[in-house]
Amino acid sequence: MVYPLLGLIALFTAGKCSSVPFKVQTTPEQDYFEADKEVKVPVVLGVMSACPDAILCESVFDHVLQQVGEKVDLSLTFLGTLNSSDPDFGITCMHGPNECAGNVQELCAVKYTPRDVWWRFVQCQNFQGRYEVGKPETALKCADAVEIDWPNSDVGQCAGVDASGKGKEGLSLLRESVQVTKSLGIEKSCTILINGNAVCVRDGSWKDCEGGHTPADFVRQINEEYAKLNGDSVQASV
Ligand SMILES: *[C@@H]1O[C@H](CO)[C@@H](O)[C@H](O)[C@H]1NC(C)=O
C-alpha cells in the first residue's frame, strides 16, 4: 500500500510547501533562427495557490513584470499529488481543498483571459491572504475587481459557474498542470524557471538563487536571456 506511506511523508513535510531536493533543469531547445520575430523569454513559476512562498514569489514577480513584462512569456504550473481517492479534485493539494480550487480558478483565468487580467486576478487572490485563496467568494470578488464576468465568461464555465473550482475543464487543466510540473522536475513551491533554467527557489527562505532573488536580479536575468534568444536581430534594450 502506497498511500499510507505517502501520508506519513506528508506528515513530516507539512511545515513547508515541499521538501524534495532541488534539481537543476536543462534548457529546452529554442528557435534561435527566426530572425524577423521577437522571442519572449519563457518564465515559469511552479506554485501552489495558497502557499505563502508562492504568494511571495508572485509579489516579487509583480515588480519584475512592471519592468520587463513585454519581454516575458509567463506561465504558472501547479504542484499537487494525483490521488484517485480524492472525491472532488482527484488531486491532493498541500494546503487543502481550497488550494485545489484556487489552482483551478487561476488556471482557467490564465487560459481564457489576457495576461494583464489573469495576473491581476492572481494578485487579488493573494492580497486577500492565503486562507482566503480559492474560496468561491474570493474568486468572485477578484473576478469583479479585474472585470471578469465570471458566470457568463469562459473562465466561469471552465472553473465552475459557482466558482467552486470543480468545473470539468478546470479539473482536467489541474491534472494536466500537476503532471507538467512533475515532468519539469519542479518539486518546491515556489520554483522560478527562466528560459528553462531553474534559477531560484523560495521555500521558507530563498534557496539555490545563484543570480540573486530581488526583482532587479530577475530583471537582469530576463534581459540576458532575451538578448540570447533574439541574437543581433533585436536591439538589446537593457
Ligand atoms: C488521498 O485523498 C484522500 C481523500 O481526500 C485522503 O484521505 C488521503 O490522505 C489522500 N492521500 C494522499 C497521499 O494525499
Side-chain angles (χ1 to χ4, degrees):
M1 285 303 292
V2 69
Y3 285 158
L5 180 60
L6 289 176
L8 196 64
I9 293 168
L11 194 66
F12 283 114
T13 60
K16 285 182 184 173
C17 295
S18 59
S19 67
V20 196
F22 169 74
K23 274 191 259 165
V24 176
Q25 295 304 301
T26 51
T27 310
E29 291 219 307
Q30 298 288 344
D31 187 356
Y32 290 89
F33 302 107
E34 214 169 337
D36 56 335
K37 229 168 138 194
E38 182 203 21
V39 182
K40 297 197 185 212
V41 180
V43 173
V44 178
L45 304 179
V47 292
M48 305 189 254
S49 62
C51 169
D53 294 312
I55 290 171
L56 188 94
C57 250
E58 286 163 348
S59 86
V60 169
F61 262 78
D62 198 36
H63 295 284
V64 173
L65 292 182
Q66 281 165 27
Q67 296 175 63
V68 288
E70 292 305 307
K71 295 179 182 175
V72 167
D73 182 5
L74 182 68
S75 58
L76 303 179
T77 191
F78 289 91
L79 287 93
T81 310
L82 289 170
N83 181 352
S84 54
S85 321
D86 182 90
D88 292 322
F89 297 97
I91 300 275
T92 297
C93 293
M94 184 169 277
H95 304 88
N98 273 346
E99 177 169 75
C100 283
N103 296 352
V104 168
Q105 294 154 1
E106 293 180 8
L107 282 165
C108 290
V110 168
K111 177 158 182 188
Y112 289 112
T113 69
R115 187 181 76 195
D116 72 303
V117 174
W118 68 256
W119 182 250
R120 284 187 294 125
F121 177 74
V122 170
Q123 294 291 327
C124 173
Q125 292 237 52
N126 293 352
F127 192 71
Q128 312 309 310
R130 57 184 282 210
Y131 299 109
E132 301 304 313
V133 172
K135 289 184 180 171
E137 56 267 35
T138 306
L140 293 171
K141 176 180 171 176
C142 287
D144 235 34
V146 305
E147 295 179 342
I148 296 171
D149 179 0
W150 191 278
N152 298 307
S153 68
D154 289 335
V155 182
Q157 293 301 318
C158 169
V161 172
D162 59 359
S164 62
K166 293 173 194 166
K168 194 163 175 255
E169 185 186 5
L171 290 174
S172 75
L173 289 178
L174 178 61
R175 280 168 215 166
E176 254 170 58
S177 181
V178 163
Q179 283 164 302
V180 166
T181 303
K182 209 173 167 197
S183 75
L184 288 170
I186 294 174
E187 292 166 332
K188 291 176 178 175
S189 165
C190 164
T191 298
I192 300 163
L193 269 66
I194 296 179
N195 197 20
N197 301 304
V199 298
C200 192
V201 169
R202 172 77 199 188
D203 183 32
S205 60
W206 294 104
K207 291 169 185 172
D208 302 301
C209 306
E210 249 181 74
H213 56 73
T214 67
D217 292 320
F218 296 123
V219 166
R220 189 192 66 251
Q221 293 175 84
I222 286 164
N223 277 327
E224 286 167 7
E225 293 305 315
Y226 185 85
K228 274 191 223 164
L229 287 171
N230 290 285
D232 294 326
S233 64
V234 177
Q235 207 84 48
S237 54
V238 181

